[in-house]
Amino acid sequence: MAQDHTAQDGPETPQVYLITPPEFELSSFPAKLARVLDDVEIACIRLSLATKDEEKIARAADLIREEAHARDIPLVIESHFLLVEKLGLDGVHLLDGARSIRYVRKEIGAEAVIGAFCGPSRHDGMTAGENGADYISLGPIGETTLGDGQVAETEAFEWWSKMIELPIVAEGAVTVDGVERLAPYTDFFAVGEEIWGSDDPSATLKALLAPLG
């Protein structure tokens, strides 16, 4: 998962990083996902499930992996790094910033992708990069009453695009305005629950990404 840019040039047009819903019907969701993957160019998929049931996670991973890898799209799993090799996934997305990256890297090897969510803090993002993350994500990028209400500011992305080559993802409370505002500075927009509640997730995603042209 990489963007072909230098720190001086700034990002190319941001790519889309798709996050699964926290729960879904195994019988119907793969077909819904496939329609999105066929309608919109997706750079990476994150399996982000609320359940802690390993069997349910494994069944879901098998179905999502089939759709993803058929289209040469990498699939990472949220948090559960010990399942990466077992389930034939491409890596893990960690939620604790820089804290566990070095340990996880030792556990899953050099080839697997490790991403790190660093909240609104570019400093935590820099530390995550220094510890060996392949990408970092900052967010939320829009106003929200969830968590502590802090928002990843435009300035953090602007600074990152000028100074740091490591890919950066904008995620959380993604809106059309947010896409327009951060498009010049971010490498990826991570989109998930913003679209899955709609009757037509593909159309909703396209509308959300309209500022990208």
Side-chain angles (χ1 to χ4, degrees):
M1 186 172 152
Q3 264 278 13
D4 190 15
H5 72 83
T6 66
Q8 290 74 30
D9 293 340
E12 304 293 330
T13 300
Q15 299 180 61
V16 184
Y17 178 138
L18 191 64
I19 305 171
T20 68
E23 56 184 326
F24 52 78
E25 290 292 332
L26 294 180
S27 59
S28 59
F29 182 71
K32 182 185 291 188
L33 173 66
R35 286 193 292 274
V36 174
L37 299 182
D38 290 338
D39 287 348
V40 180
E41 188 172 344
I42 303 296
C44 184
I45 302 171
R46 182 195 309 167
L47 181 61
S48 176
L49 295 178
T51 181
K52 300 298 188 289
D53 185 323
E54 185 178 338
E55 186 176 331
K56 288 182 179 177
I57 293 171
R59 289 203 305 271
D62 285 344
L63 293 169
I64 304 301
R65 188 188 62 243
E66 186 174 328
E67 299 294 342
H69 287 181
R71 297 165 176 82
D72 294 322
I73 301 170
L75 174 62
V76 302
I77 190 169
E78 191 167 281
S79 300
H80 306 302
F81 62 90
L82 293 176
L83 295 179
V84 169
E85 182 176 4
K86 182 176 181 180
L87 299 179
L89 308 179
D90 298 287
V92 64
H93 179 82
L94 302 173
L95 299 178
D96 60 351
R99 285 189 284 279
S100 59
I101 292 170
R102 286 178 175 160
Y103 174 75
V104 172
R105 179 63 73 195
K106 290 177 183 175
E107 292 294 310
I108 67 176
E111 297 303 313
V113 173
I114 297 179
F117 177 69
C118 299
S121 174
R122 79 181 190 197
H123 179 268
D124 287 353
M126 289 173 63
T127 304
E130 290 166 0
N131 287 354
D134 295 297
Y135 70 86
I136 67 106
S137 67
L138 297 184
I141 65 167
E143 297 296 329
T144 176
T145 55
L146 300 179
D148 61 10
Q150 290 191 75
V151 172
E153 301 292 346
T154 302
E155 185 272 336
F157 289 90
E158 184 176 7
W159 179 89
W160 192 278
S161 73
K162 292 176 181 175
M163 304 300 294
I164 309 292
E165 291 193 40
L166 190 72
I168 187 169
V169 180
E171 72 170 276
V174 178
T175 62
V176 174
D177 288 344
V179 170
E180 185 171 26
R181 176 168 48 87
L182 293 179
Y185 312 121
T186 192
D187 297 296
F188 299 88
F189 285 104
V191 179
E193 292 192 76
E194 294 91 345
I195 69 167
W196 295 121
S198 75
D199 293 332
D200 189 341
S202 288
T204 304
L205 180 55
K206 288 177 181 178
L208 197 59
L209 301 174
L212 301 183

